Amino acid sequence: MGVRERNESAWLLPNDGTRTNHRLRRDMRQFADSDEIDLVIVGCGAGGSVMLQRLARAGWRVAALDAGPFWDPDTDWVSDEAGSHHLYWTDPRVIAGSDPVPMGSNNSGRGVGGSMVHYAGYTPRFHPSDFATNTVDGVGADWPLSYPELRPYYEQIEQELPVAGERWPWGDPHGYPYRPHPVGGNGEVFLRGAGKLGITAKVGPVAIVNGRFGNRPHCIYRGFCLQGCKVNAKASPLITHVPDALAHGAEVRPEAMVTQIAVDKHTGRALGVHYVTGGRERFQRARMVAVAGYSIETPRLLLNSASSRFPEGLCNDFDQVGRYLMVQGAPQTAGRFDAEVRMYKAPPPEVSTEAFYETDPAKDYKRGFSIQTVSPLPITWAEHVAAQGHWGPALREYMSDYVHWSCLGGLCEFLPRPENRVTLAGEKDSYGLPVARFSYSQCDNDRALARAAQSVMEGILHAAGADEVITIQRYAHLVGGARMAEDEQHGVVDRYGRSFAVPNLYITDGSVLPTQGSANPALTIMAVAARTAHHLAAGLS
Ligand SMILES: Cc1cc2nc3c(=O)[nH]c(=O)nc-3n(C[C@H](O)[C@H](O)[C@H](O)COP(=O)(O)OP(=O)(O)OC[C@H]3O[C@@H](n4cnc5c(N)ncnc54)[C@H](O)[C@@H]3O)c2cc1C
Ligand code: SF4
């Protein structure tokens, strides 16, 4: 089946220079709270939107409730770092552990499209080994599903975003539907340095239109991908899955914060969700519930949905909810060149290498890392320099030298550990709900990976001709917290995302991932959700 027959979103966007199909939104189906719809989805981001679109196409009566706005790129987004803070989930969260993870712009988004509205746009697949790290390397966990089972869904989503890149030689070697983009100054530095060291680096894979796709125009290479692409060239569910869902009778209910999932204490089945909109408490009935609120908010909602049947939190009889949360170590290395690089004149995602992704038996650590161009804009560049301890005149000097710098980022596969988890804090948010407390500590393997990635990145930039190289330690991405497993003693959901405890409750976001590889997660989250949706639509559950 061609991509347009499967998902017409790109053709449903306007072709007149504006970015939003207002008619589709105006005419959108609207269910009453009292309607027992087939499926209510919590969160309309990467995982939630794919469920919405697939099941609307299958004729289900389905609605997605999102805590944030229904964005219009023309009026809501600006190509400006300082003006883009409203895209992030900035409700209070408590952080703890020996290596706490800062929360804010680098974690999750709020609003229809989810975190992909301000994600960078890298869309690599996981490697086959990621699905069996315990068997292959004796660390992490095995998934209850294998790479070949997910491959067809990877291929579908890559066509729907669509993804551009060179033929990919790592993991399960594969091609992409669109040719690689031309690279800017930062990508050239990476390719030059890697080439000198004999490290294979490739252009892509990015979910940015190269050419024209439906009514979505070609990228204009202005580099504001992390501020929400005003052009509609970078993929996010707002433009890749929501339009088709609306055209097939789905409802998207923005500004609707779900506060609790209700469960019948006699049957143990989910009845629907309590939510707050416009300051009013409401309840949407549904035959099934899917939670897709992101790795922090999904476990938090389950824990906040405790009841007499589930006193420790929904689906938490075996103390699995919130555990095995994973963040990737993301050291960031910058190099200075006499010639101008102007790293802002291209999308931040350009070139990457997965040459260090798999376990190297010669090393004293397991698993690996990937390296990618990151190209911070000036405010993020100032954060990098300030994190090195430069302040005052020195900071000003680095800032006025901005056009001479190139910047690479590592993604290290930090291991899943039960003590890295979300619990509920004593503090409450504006809805009166306990906020998430996220405790995170690294292990020795994690630290060794971050050191190794830093050393390779510094080597690449030196080889490319950098005269000064500076590295800071960061984190990127968050997955896990309600992982899939073979049984309820080791996870929260089964191989199709169905919770072990409540037969009509699904989890369909990044929370279900048992391992994270050193790949960016959005493509895998969407592929896993597409597989769950296919299973449900085919009536197999
Ligand atoms: C700066 C940045 C750069 C990134 N770059 C990349 C990249 O290049 N490649 C990549 O693959 N990934 C990247 N990511 C990560 C990627 O965007 C996320 O992993 C992915 O979007 C997570 O999908 P999800 O479905 O789990 O949650 P999300 O996409 O975050 O969707 C969750 C949605 O649920 C809503 N929600 C939460 N709680 C509730 C509630 N109680 N009631 C109602 N609604 C709720 C939120 O408003 C949100 O819209 C990046 C992330 C950030 C922050
Ligand atoms: S560089 Fe391309 S993908 Fe990124 S914001 Fe600009 S037009 Fe969109």
Side-chain angles (χ1 to χ4, degrees):
M1 189 194 284
V3 62
R4 189 170 178 181
E5 281 78 60
R6 193 167 64 244
N7 179 350
E8 203 167 15
S9 291
W11 288 266
L12 292 167
L13 293 166
N15 194 17
D16 59 3
T18 61
R19 310 290 167 211
T20 300
N21 184 330
H22 293 284
R23 186 194 51 76
L24 260 187
R25 292 194 191 176
R26 209 176 38 241
D27 298 347
M28 176 173 73
R29 189 169 183 180
Q30 291 187 319
F31 297 103
D33 284 339
S34 54
D35 287 338
E36 192 193 44
I37 60 176
D38 292 317
L39 177 71
V40 62
I41 302 168
V42 183
C44 197
S49 67
V50 171
M51 288 291 287
L52 185 78
Q53 184 262 342
R54 295 299 203 255
L55 291 168
R57 277 232 163 200
W60 286 37
R61 289 150 45 90
V62 54
L65 276 51
D66 199 288
F70 208 155
W71 302 115
D72 176 352
D74 285 319
T75 52
D76 296 336
W77 299 345
V78 287
S79 297
D80 172 53
E81 272 186 294
S84 301
H85 286 272
H86 60 302
L87 301 181
Y88 317 140
W89 188 287
T90 48
D91 285 11
R93 289 159 168 173
V94 175
I95 55 173
S98 58
D99 305 285
V101 178
M103 293 281 145
S105 61
N106 201 35
N107 313 110
S108 53
R110 183 190 192 94
V112 178
S115 307
M116 285 179 76
V117 162
H118 68 109
Y119 84 145
Y122 274 117
T123 42
R125 297 184 190 179
F126 280 17
H127 287 199
S129 67
D130 289 322
F131 296 76
T133 62
N134 192 26
T135 300
V136 174
D137 289 316
V139 293
D142 290 355
W143 293 44
L145 68 97
S146 66
Y147 175 87
E149 288 174 272
L150 204 56
R151 187 193 292 121
Y153 303 97
Y154 272 136
E155 288 167 355
Q156 284 179 12
I157 300 290
E158 280 166 356
Q159 289 166 356
E160 290 168 49
L161 294 178
V163 181
E166 284 189 84
R167 185 167 173 78
W168 216 241
W170 298 288
D172 173 31
H174 57 276
Y176 286 109
Y178 277 72
R179 289 164 58 81
H181 286 269
V183 298
N186 203 20
E188 282 176 3
V189 166
F190 188 176
L191 290 170
R192 186 169 73 237
K196 289 220 167 117
L197 297 178
I199 298 168
T200 305
K202 295 282 174 188
V203 182
V206 295
I208 295 175
V209 172
N210 188 7
R212 197 176 170 83
F213 181 66
N215 292 334
R216 286 172 55 198
H218 193 298
C219 171
I220 58 169
Y221 303 120
R222 260 190 345 140
F224 285 101
C225 312
L226 277 82
Q227 283 65 46
C229 173
K230 274 184 82 78
V231 175
N232 273 357
K234 189 194 75 172
S236 91
L238 184 71
I239 54 171
T240 61
H241 287 80
V242 167
D244 191 69
L246 299 189
H248 286 84
E251 179 185 351
V252 171
R253 211 172 295 169
E255 316 278 3
M257 172 74 180
V258 175
T259 52
Q260 201 176 34
I261 300 160
V263 171
D264 185 310
K265 66 177 178 227
H266 300 296
T267 63
R269 292 178 68 83
L271 299 168
V273 295
H274 294 277
Y275 68 102
V276 176
T277 189
R280 281 183 51 223
E281 288 186 23
R282 293 170 49 175
F283 182 75
Q284 177 64 57
R285 296 176 66 220
R287 193 169 62 81
M288 285 188 184
V289 175
V291 187
Y294 190 74
S295 276
I296 302 272
E297 293 306 314
T298 288
R300 175 185 175 220
L301 180 61
L302 295 176
L303 294 172
N304 272 328
S305 299
S307 61
S308 55
R309 161 66 189 85
F310 294 100
E312 301 304 324
L314 192 54
C315 305
N316 200 25
D317 287 349
F318 293 87
D319 194 20
Q320 290 293 308
V321 171
R323 290 194 184 275
Y324 302 103
L325 211 74
M326 290 165 276
V327 62
Q328 284 166 330
Q332 188 170 289
T333 301
R336 189 196 179 279
F337 296 82
D338 279 341
E340 289 187 355
V341 177
R342 294 193 181 270
M343 60 181 163
Y344 61 89
K345 280 180 83 95
E350 291 196 276
V351 175
S352 45
T353 179
E354 292 177 3
F356 305 93
Y357 196 107
E358 302 286 343
T359 296
D360 177 348
K363 302 284 195 251
D364 60 355
Y365 53 77
K366 302 284 188 185
R367 306 304 295 160
F369 53 90
S370 59
I371 297 174
Q372 306 175 332
T373 52
V374 288
S375 307
L377 292 176
I379 292 178
T380 330
W381 171 238
E383 287 167 4
H384 183 120
V385 175
Q388 296 272 324
H390 299 295
W391 202 244
L395 174 61
R396 274 209 300 280
E397 196 167 315
Y398 276 102
M399 292 308 294
S400 50
D401 210 28
Y402 171 67
V403 294
H404 290 274
W405 285 84
S406 157
C407 202
L408 307 180
L411 287 181
C412 304
E413 181 179 347
F414 283 7
L415 296 172
R417 294 170 4 114
E419 57 272 38
N420 288 337
R421 72 178 305 190
V422 165
T423 51
L424 296 179
E427 212 176 291
K428 303 224 165 121
D429 69 3
S430 56
Y431 300 95
L433 296 171
V435 307
R437 177 183 187 275
F438 174 29
S439 176
Y440 191 80
S441 305
Q442 295 176 21
C443 64
D444 290 344
N445 199 78
D446 299 340
R447 291 191 191 90
L449 278 174
R451 280 194 300 273
Q454 173 175 349
S455 152
V456 173
M457 288 191 294
E458 290 179 352
I460 289 172
L461 290 175
H462 278 306
D467 48 27
E468 181 186 353
V469 163
I470 53 177
T471 299
I472 59 165
Q473 298 302 326
R474 291 169 59 249
Y475 291 117
H477 309 136
L478 263 173
V479 293
R483 70 177 185 177
M484 58 168 68
E486 290 292 353
D487 61 56
E488 63 219 13
Q489 306 201 13
H490 297 94
V492 179
V493 298
D494 71 10
R495 60 203 307 270
Y496 290 108
R498 174 149 83 158
S499 75
F500 290 114
V502 180
N504 62 340
L505 175 67
Y506 283 74
I507 299 177
T508 63
D509 63 1
S511 312
V512 302
L513 272 48
T515 61
Q516 60 179 345
S518 40
N520 321 58
L523 180 83
T524 299
I525 294 169
M526 291 180 129
V528 169
R531 178 174 177 274
T532 293
H534 180 212
H535 188 74
L536 281 173
L540 300 172
S541 251

